[in-house]
Amino acid sequence: MSDPMAEIRASFFIECEELLESLQDSLELMDSGEADDETVNVMFRAVHSIKGGAGAFGLDELVAFAHKFETVMDMVRNGDLTPDHELVKLFFVCGDKLSDLVRQARDGEEYDPTQYADTLAKLDALIGEDESDEEEIDFQPAALSLELGGEGEGTAPGLPDLPGLPPLGGDDGADADAAAASQEPVLHIRFTPETALYASGNEPLYLFRAVRDLGDLTVRCIEDKLPPLEALDPEKAFLSWELTLLSGEGEAAVREAFDFVDGLCELTVTEQTAAGGDSQPDPVETAAPSTGSPDKSGADTSAELPTPAAPSGTRAAPIDTAEPAEKPAAPPADKKAGKPQAKSAGSKSTGAKKSAAATPRATVRVDLDRIDRLVNLVGEIVINQAMLSQSVEEAGLPPNSPVRTGLDEFLQLTRDIQESVMMIRAQPVKSLFQRMARIVREASAAVGKEVRLITEGENTEIDKTVIERLADPLTHMIRNAVDHGLESAEERLAVGKCAEGIITLNASHRSGRVVIEISDDGAGINRERVHQIAIDKGLIDPDLQLSDSDIDNLLFLPGFSTASEVSNLSGRGVGMDVVRSAIQALGGRISIASTAGKGTTFSISLPLTLAVLDGMIVRVAGETLVVPLNVIQETLALGPDDIRPFGPDTHVVNIRNTFVPLLDLGAELGYREPLVDYANSVILLIAQDDGERAAVVVDSIEDQRQVVIKGLQDSYGHVPGIAAATILGDGQIALILDPLDLISEASGCTRPQSSSELTAG
Amino acid sequence: MALRDQLRTIVVDDMSTSRGLITQALDGFGIRQVESASDGPTALKKIAAWPVHLVISDMNMPGMNGLQLLHALRSNAQTKGVGFLLITGKADREIIETGRKLGMNNLVKKPFQPDDLRKAIEAIVGRL
């Protein structure tokens, strides 16, 4: 993208996403009755900004819609309209339409007026004849007089007699040169060592010497944190320094000088072009606006102005992001500078982490491809590291040899890098949940039910790809919940429930995975009916005895639909089986819990990342396999008395007086016939999300290590029981098991002469 | 030295798209000494460190709006003489009256073409 306009255009659409998100946040505040005056302002500004940018790119439809939307919001702002339930509902629809228009404009799709006519008509009805505010008034420009200017009629403010500025116009080469010469940039450096800096043998003096090499340096020690001698702990750090450097080398060079103590100190570097020779500017105080500003909200702006000691330049981010409490001598000025800027309520809550950032959002937008390349490279490092470890092992070096210790450190670093890279890809589920809010609004309107969506854990972070690929299955489940899960208002009232149905969307971290739950407070699964339908459709054997949870799981069978008539909402063709396979493709699992009369909860459990997993390397019938560590509850060696026959061709294992079905991995995967005797085998106790367990027999356990996931999906589709593959340290390829899938597909056959089948839970 | 080479300008807008567009347009006019700020307080800080001839500011910004920024500029001896160009989506009587009282030099209504911006700037500082 070398065309600057194309770049600006691209950044406009990204900015639009942020603005739409903040609009959505404000609408939700309004909907929950927690809105204040600023909420409407934030909303108005969001729409207004979108309109402004859209105008610049000639996106007329977007401008026209945003204009109407904005006009109505302005009426709310002025108190001409009250944001009642109906109006907020309309605003939600407007927000949805606005985001549609933004997407259409971005993707260059055709504008379809019929989609917007209804909403525009509603807005027009509210605006009425009132749109007379477009009375255009001409403004007479007031030229800056470049000579001496009195403030004659109070129109033009007079000459730009600005300190430090060369006069405009005229031939003033010499003056300009002189000004340029005095413009050697001044860098203000604030250096506050932490105790750890001294503890690791660093000496500030050497650092200052290194900085002195960059230019003209003045150093001032700040000792106001120094306690009286009797209270002094000689092991602690109390001093900080202020350095003023006249140098053209720039901030990066200064930071480089402090590279050795990165993380051991707090460092702010502020660049400032010397203006008029006064290197320590304090004009900010005088710049504070007096009261009587045109708008009341301006009265408190002076409080938000930074103190003179605060970083005044362009970039001032502390090296260290540790909690301020750990810094014994943090200068008070930094705390003041850390005050959040006047970036309003709805916007991102990143403020807490950056203590002294002068700009509200110090973020970098990176192309996802670049991150993916990085993720892949890190994956390669992990494999490489494993290979190296193996070679070292085989070389028979003593455990305390430098190579081994070095390798251990390498391992630690690799893991740290991996974690950091994964964090780049992680995103809060908030955007996904906001999309679901729209689905709920549209779905409930389509079936005429009143539905409220409650979202919890919106800030839970998960891999971006997972978020994107969750949108479709979640949409389907939300529609299902609205359509089938919740009863009609009459039915709800009849059983003493509130007419408004509630759908809860919750995300949380649970033992190394992210769990997303979709709950409704409807009637619960009608198991009798589900069972009957499954029998009618010939999906199951009528004589089969099924537990409640077995019946619930029938919903996941291909071709199952409970709606007496297929509504156009939940759609046709797409059933819960498709949802389940989509979740499985992400390395996730889905389970149902339902209580009659109380509602149904679907739980989706997902891995945090799609790139690596901690696995146990096992061997079965001469094959090497990887079992994800997070599903293994424990590993046991079977004694002769632990195993009992159960049914004609299956076994159960007695584990501390509970019986767990035995599965022979080798037999299930078709590597070999079931064994005759399982005594002395090694078993992995696998736990499922619903609490069911299974004992999986393997020949031996080799190792426990991190493996890089190499997907098989693209080449082979979904292979039952197999999640993916990996490359081991010795270059061998090993399959990664999906034990839970394996268990649900398992024959359970652990005796050689079997024929009949039993579906395990 | 032409005026455009000497003119120092700061662009104040909370939307990075708008800052980009205006900066881009200024670049097209040959105005290269351009700073930018995402809000009024930041703009005041930057101007204090790097005085400017002309402030081009959006009206609608969180915290401190364009006219409040103008008021702050005019209340300070150091900055009271700068040129001030307001960019606004709405040019109603209230904004124009207040702007006039505070000493606004010119205004441009959104959406605008680069040429509109050029004319508005030239009306303040003269031929670029």
Side-chain angles (χ1 to χ4, degrees):
Chain A
M1 276 201 293
S2 56
D3 176 12
M5 278 312 273
E7 256 174 61
I8 296 175
R9 193 182 152 101
S11 90
F12 165 67
F13 287 114
I14 296 171
E15 204 155 23
C16 277
E17 293 294 324
E18 286 165 11
L19 292 165
L20 287 167
E21 194 173 299
S22 101
L23 172 68
Q24 205 68 34
D25 284 339
S26 308
L27 279 170
E28 268 156 30
L29 277 181
M30 206 175 231
D31 194 34
S32 59
E34 290 162 39
D36 53 21
D37 291 350
E38 185 53 21
T39 313
V40 188
N41 285 332
V42 171
M43 285 167 53
F44 180 84
R45 267 199 306 273
V47 177
H48 186 78
S49 295
I50 291 174
K51 182 179 108 169
F57 296 110
L59 306 169
D60 297 337
E61 287 92 9
L62 185 49
V63 172
F65 188 91
H67 178 70
K68 294 236 157 79
F69 190 7
E70 169 194 285
T71 308
V72 174
M73 266 194 282
D74 205 23
M75 290 163 76
V76 174
R77 233 169 32 153
N78 299 334
D80 296 339
L81 271 177
T82 323
D84 55 10
H85 185 60
E86 281 305 306
L87 188 60
V88 173
K89 248 170 109 174
L90 176 64
F91 280 173
F92 269 118
V93 174
C94 288
D96 294 343
K97 297 284 179 197
L98 193 64
S99 91
D100 284 348
L101 279 165
V102 167
R103 282 196 190 111
Q104 274 173 16
R106 183 189 61 197
D107 303 338
E109 283 170 25
E110 199 65 30
Y111 172 72
D112 175 11
T114 55
Q115 276 184 32
Y116 303 95
D118 195 34
T119 316
L120 281 171
K122 280 187 191 152
L123 287 175
D124 278 333
L126 287 171
I127 297 165
E129 301 293 300
D130 215 43
E131 212 178 5
S132 54
D133 66 315
E134 287 302 291
E135 70 175 307
E136 288 294 321
I137 306 169
D138 276 341
F139 179 80
Q140 210 49 48
L144 276 186
S145 102
L146 297 176
E147 312 88 42
L148 276 183
E151 292 173 34
E153 280 107 298
T155 48
L159 80 168
D161 183 17
L162 307 171
L165 263 186
L168 284 175
D171 169 36
D172 53 308
D175 280 40
D177 285 351
S182 75
Q183 274 175 22
E184 178 110 85
V186 179
L187 288 157
H188 294 288
I189 302 154
R190 178 86 181 209
F191 170 63
T192 311
E194 288 175 28
T195 306
L197 182 136
Y198 299 108
S200 52
N202 286 291
E203 164 60 76
L205 181 62
Y206 297 139
L207 296 167
F208 300 159
R209 282 186 186 154
V211 178
R212 193 180 57 188
D213 293 342
L214 299 172
D216 199 355
L217 180 73
T218 21
V219 179
R220 193 166 73 86
C221 181
I222 298 156
E223 45 199 50
D224 51 2
K225 280 280 166 357
L226 203 62
L229 193 58
E230 59 272 16
L232 181 83
D233 179 350
E235 300 281 323
K236 287 221 166 97
F238 299 100
L239 298 176
S240 58
W241 283 270
E242 253 176 30
L243 293 81
T244 312
L245 177 70
L246 263 163
S247 162
E249 295 283 336
E251 185 190 325
V254 175
R255 290 203 178 270
E256 209 180 313
F258 284 95
D259 226 14
F260 290 113
V261 292
D262 188 6
L264 300 173
C265 65
E266 193 177 321
L267 182 72
T268 56
V269 183
T270 334
E271 197 167 333
Q272 175 207 335
T273 315
D278 188 6
S279 64
Q280 200 63 37
D282 63 347
V284 197
E285 273 185 337
T286 43
S290 60
T291 44
S293 314
D295 192 323
K296 272 163 259 150
S297 67
D300 59 352
T301 43
S302 59
E304 284 157 7
L305 285 177
T307 58
S312 64
T314 47
R315 285 152 292 162
I319 283 182
D320 192 2
T321 45
E323 305 90 289
E326 281 176 15
K327 296 169 194 152
D334 279 358
K335 281 184 194 145
K336 280 186 196 163
K339 266 190 192 170
Q341 290 281 9
K343 194 74 188 171
S344 46
S347 56
K348 303 204 163 150
S349 55
T350 46
K353 270 198 175 172
K354 13 181 173 167
S355 52
T359 41
R361 283 174 296 175
T363 53
V364 181
R365 294 197 177 108
V366 185
D367 200 39
L368 198 59
D369 287 347
R370 292 195 196 179
I371 296 176
D372 286 345
R373 204 155 66 222
L374 192 59
V375 169
N376 271 331
L377 281 174
V378 171
E380 298 302 325
I381 291 184
V382 173
I383 293 178
N384 209 282
Q385 194 265 336
M387 289 184 172
L388 209 54
S389 297
Q390 196 147 340
S391 322
V392 168
E393 189 111 2
E394 282 160 8
L397 290 170
N400 58 350
S401 70
V403 173
R404 281 245 181 149
T405 15
L407 209 55
D408 282 346
E409 276 162 26
F410 181 38
L411 174 76
Q412 190 53 46
L413 281 174
T414 313
R415 289 203 172 225
D416 287 353
I417 292 177
Q418 204 164 39
E419 226 163 80
S420 312
V421 172
M422 293 309 153
M423 264 165 63
I424 302 177
R425 284 193 55 96
Q427 271 191 337
V429 294
K430 186 170 179 185
S431 60
L432 181 67
F433 280 13
Q434 282 195 342
R435 272 205 262 172
M436 293 308 126
R438 173 177 188 175
I439 303 295
V440 169
R441 283 196 295 278
E442 289 176 351
S444 56
V447 296
K449 290 178 186 171
E450 281 282 310
V451 183
R452 170 171 292 269
L453 177 74
I454 298 172
T455 55
E456 290 159 359
E458 291 182 318
N459 292 323
T460 309
E461 292 198 337
I462 187 166
D463 190 282
K464 188 178 158 63
T465 312
V466 177
I467 289 186
E468 280 163 7
R469 291 210 244 149
L470 266 181
D472 282 345
L474 265 193
T475 301
H476 188 78
M477 291 166 75
I478 292 275
R479 284 188 180 149
N480 261 342
V482 174
D483 200 7
H484 310 310
L486 295 172
E487 319 89 321
S488 67
E490 301 81 58
E491 283 172 296
R492 291 182 66 88
L493 290 170
V495 293
K497 286 184 187 172
C498 167
E500 188 181 52
I502 293 172
I503 292 178
T504 311
L505 206 47
N506 177 306
S508 58
H509 283 285
R510 216 173 287 165
S511 51
R513 294 177 76 88
V514 173
V515 177
I516 295 179
E517 287 176 339
I518 303 105
S519 322
D520 63 62
D521 70 339
I525 292 173
N526 185 341
R527 297 203 171 96
E528 230 167 88
R529 206 163 128 241
V530 167
H531 194 186
Q532 194 53 49
I533 289 172
I535 292 169
D536 291 350
K537 297 202 168 185
L539 297 170
I540 52 163
D541 185 341
D543 301 329
L544 204 59
Q545 282 301 308
L546 294 176
S547 68
D548 281 357
S549 118
D550 289 340
I551 295 176
D552 292 348
N553 279 298
L554 291 175
L555 293 180
F556 292 117
L557 287 179
F560 193 97
S561 173
T562 51
S564 5
E565 55 199 83
V566 180
S567 72
N568 64 355
L569 179 61
S570 310
R572 55 202 92 206
V574 183
M576 286 303 289
D577 57 320
V578 177
V579 169
R580 182 163 70 168
S581 47
I583 303 288
Q584 278 172 342
L586 292 169
R589 280 182 296 282
I590 182 164
S591 58
I592 315 181
S594 183
T595 314
K598 292 273 174 63
T600 307
T601 298
F602 287 90
S603 302
I604 301 172
S605 146
L606 294 155
L608 281 178
T609 158
L610 300 176
V612 286
L613 68 83
D614 283 308
M616 188 175 275
I617 317 288
V618 297
R619 285 186 73 80
V620 178
E623 300 284 337
T624 307
L625 296 163
V626 181
V627 184
L629 210 52
N630 58 350
V631 298
I632 301 175
Q633 212 168 39
E634 58 183 304
T635 57
L636 305 159
L638 282 185
D641 303 333
D642 294 334
I643 189 158
R644 307 271 163 85
F646 181 76
D649 51 13
T650 56
H651 283 99
V652 290
V653 183
N654 180 0
I655 295 170
R656 288 182 289 277
N657 296 326
T658 57
F659 290 96
V660 176
L662 185 73
L663 297 178
D664 182 345
L665 195 53
E668 295 300 341
L669 293 173
Y671 290 155
R672 63 165 184 229
E673 287 296 305
L675 298 181
V676 180
D677 182 16
Y678 286 97
N680 303 321
S681 319
V682 177
I683 61 161
L684 312 176
L685 192 60
I686 308 280
Q688 297 194 57
D689 283 350
D690 57 11
E692 292 284 316
R693 298 191 296 176
V696 175
V697 178
V698 299
D699 293 350
S700 61
I701 295 170
E702 298 276 296
D703 194 6
Q704 194 171 306
R705 77 163 73 119
Q706 204 161 49
V707 298
V708 179
I709 301 172
K710 300 278 177 192
L712 295 172
Q713 204 84 18
D714 291 342
S715 319
Y716 299 103
H718 177 67
V719 182
I722 305 296
T726 190
I727 302 167
L728 295 176
D730 56 5
Q732 196 191 152
I733 292 171
L735 294 175
I736 301 173
L737 288 189
D738 182 344
L740 304 189
D741 188 46
L742 185 88
I743 291 167
S744 65
E745 307 265 342
S747 67
C749 169
T750 42
R751 285 191 215 178
Q753 71 288 354
S754 70
S755 60
S756 72
E757 288 204 346
L758 183 120
T759 317
Chain B
M1 243 185 171
L3 179 62
R4 59 173 178 269
D5 296 320
Q6 298 168 51
L7 196 69
R8 282 191 185 187
T9 309
I10 185 163
V11 177
V12 192
D13 199 310
D14 57 321
M15 223 183 148
S16 77
T17 310
S18 309
R19 291 198 301 274
L21 283 168
I22 297 170
T23 311
Q24 187 68 25
L26 294 177
D27 191 74
F29 314 151
I31 300 176
R32 305 275 153 77
Q33 295 203 60
V34 181
E35 256 291 357
S36 66
S38 60
D39 56 69
T42 311
L44 291 172
K45 260 195 295 174
K46 288 199 172 175
I47 296 168
W50 191 76
V52 297
H53 300 104
L54 179 64
V55 177
I56 300 177
S57 170
D58 185 33
M59 174 63 200
N60 219 311
M61 293 185 290
M64 187 188 245
N65 72 27
L67 289 177
Q68 286 164 342
L69 171 63
L70 173 61
H71 183 78
L73 288 166
R74 295 288 182 250
S75 322
N76 178 352
Q78 242 192 332
T79 57
K80 70 171 195 240
V82 297
F84 188 89
L85 173 60
L86 187 73
I87 308 244
T88 174
K90 200 162 98 173
D92 62 15
R93 186 177 297 280
E94 196 189 327
I95 287 177
I96 287 177
E97 287 302 325
T98 316
R100 189 174 286 145
K101 258 184 234 143
L102 289 171
M104 168 170 82
N105 296 91
N106 207 351
L107 100 176
V108 171
K109 202 170 167 300
K110 284 197 274 194
F112 57 87
Q113 292 302 315
D115 205 45
D116 303 331
L117 185 66
R118 184 191 187 105
K119 281 187 189 131
I121 294 172
E122 287 190 332
I124 301 176
V125 298
R127 248 187 88 81
L128 286 173

